[in-house]
Amino acid sequence: MKIRTILTLTLLAGLLCVSAARAECDVTVSETTVDYGKLSNSELTSHRGSVYMLDEREVRVNAVCSEPQAMAIFISDDSGQRRFRFGDSGDIVISAQQAVLDGKPVDLGKTLTHGSFVPKQERNRKKLLVLNNDGLLPVRNGEVPVGQQFSVLLRIRPALKPEQQHPQDEEDLLANLTVQVESQ
């Protein structure tokens, strides 16, 4: 049986900083590549159930602006779908938590609108599911506060549908996610 390379998840950060306001902003990630290495077909075919989940990995995203700003961190891929794609037949589940603004814990909110930083949800949380092109916002008392440094922990968990894999296949499954910071 051949060994398959399952995933190299590449997070592209610092590539894009859209700033509608006066400050310059940068974004960095703790790991630019999350590599799951190789799995054998026997690992996938011995799995029972409709989805094979890989181990969860953590990546810290930091956005830093030269002056206090309202800011959002947007995460996207080029699939055009709401879920992050993992090769042709899988998905990546991403959750965000441990949000910190200027060294102090904050709640998380989401926005789908670039340039408009109004939390989409009525109830803000400590942990949120992140979908493609969601913007993560720091939230305090229902408002988006200004700050210079916004940090959030992403938990990344890829999933495959084993029935769609074939024993003779050997392939690289890639996901390229773009992380950008926008400020107001």
Side-chain angles (χ1 to χ4, degrees):
M1 236 179 242
K2 292 185 179 181
I3 301 289
R4 298 173 69 241
T5 300
I6 291 299
L7 171 71
T8 301
L9 173 68
T10 306
L11 296 169
L12 304 171
L15 297 178
L16 202 41
C17 175
V18 179
S19 182
R22 64 205 171 286
E24 290 290 322
C25 300
D26 290 311
V27 64
T28 59
V29 293
S30 60
E31 300 289 327
T32 57
T33 301
V34 178
D35 188 345
Y36 280 83
K38 296 182 180 191
L39 292 179
S40 69
N41 286 309
S42 62
E43 287 178 89
L44 290 177
T45 56
S46 67
H47 173 72
R48 288 188 171 44
S50 62
V51 177
Y52 181 83
M53 300 293 288
L54 276 70
D55 293 335
E56 184 176 84
R57 303 286 177 87
E58 294 181 347
V59 174
R60 172 74 56 187
V61 177
N62 292 298
V64 179
C65 295
S66 61
E67 296 179 29
Q69 303 284 309
M71 64 181 98
I73 295 173
F74 284 87
I75 303 167
S76 62
D77 70 15
D78 60 1
S79 70
Q81 300 179 16
R82 280 298 285 152
R83 288 205 164 270
F84 295 105
R85 297 300 301 151
F86 176 44
D88 291 333
S89 64
D91 293 317
I92 300 172
V93 177
I94 299 178
S95 64
Q97 59 191 36
Q98 296 180 14
V100 177
L101 182 68
D102 293 340
K104 296 179 183 170
V106 289
D107 287 337
L108 279 167
K110 288 198 301 191
T111 183
L112 298 177
T113 308
H114 293 263
S116 174
F117 299 162
V118 177
K120 169 181 126 170
Q121 338 189 122
E122 293 177 24
R123 190 175 125 231
N124 300 298
R125 303 182 195 155
K126 299 291 180 198
K127 181 178 178 181
L128 293 175
L129 176 67
V130 181
L131 298 174
N132 193 7
N133 208 31
D134 278 350
L136 297 172
L137 300 167
V139 176
R140 190 174 288 132
N141 300 322
E143 301 289 325
V144 178
V146 298
Q148 282 186 266
Q149 184 174 356
F150 176 40
S151 174
V152 65
L153 180 71
L154 300 180
R155 291 199 169 178
I156 299 167
R157 186 143 197 193
L160 284 173
K161 297 174 184 154
E163 69 275 1
Q164 295 179 341
Q165 308 304 316
H166 302 287
Q168 71 278 8
D169 288 350
E170 183 173 331
E171 64 183 299
D172 290 331
L173 299 178
L174 301 174
N176 291 310
L177 303 180
T178 300
V179 179
Q180 74 181 50
V181 60
E182 292 185 9
S183 64
Q184 287 184 324

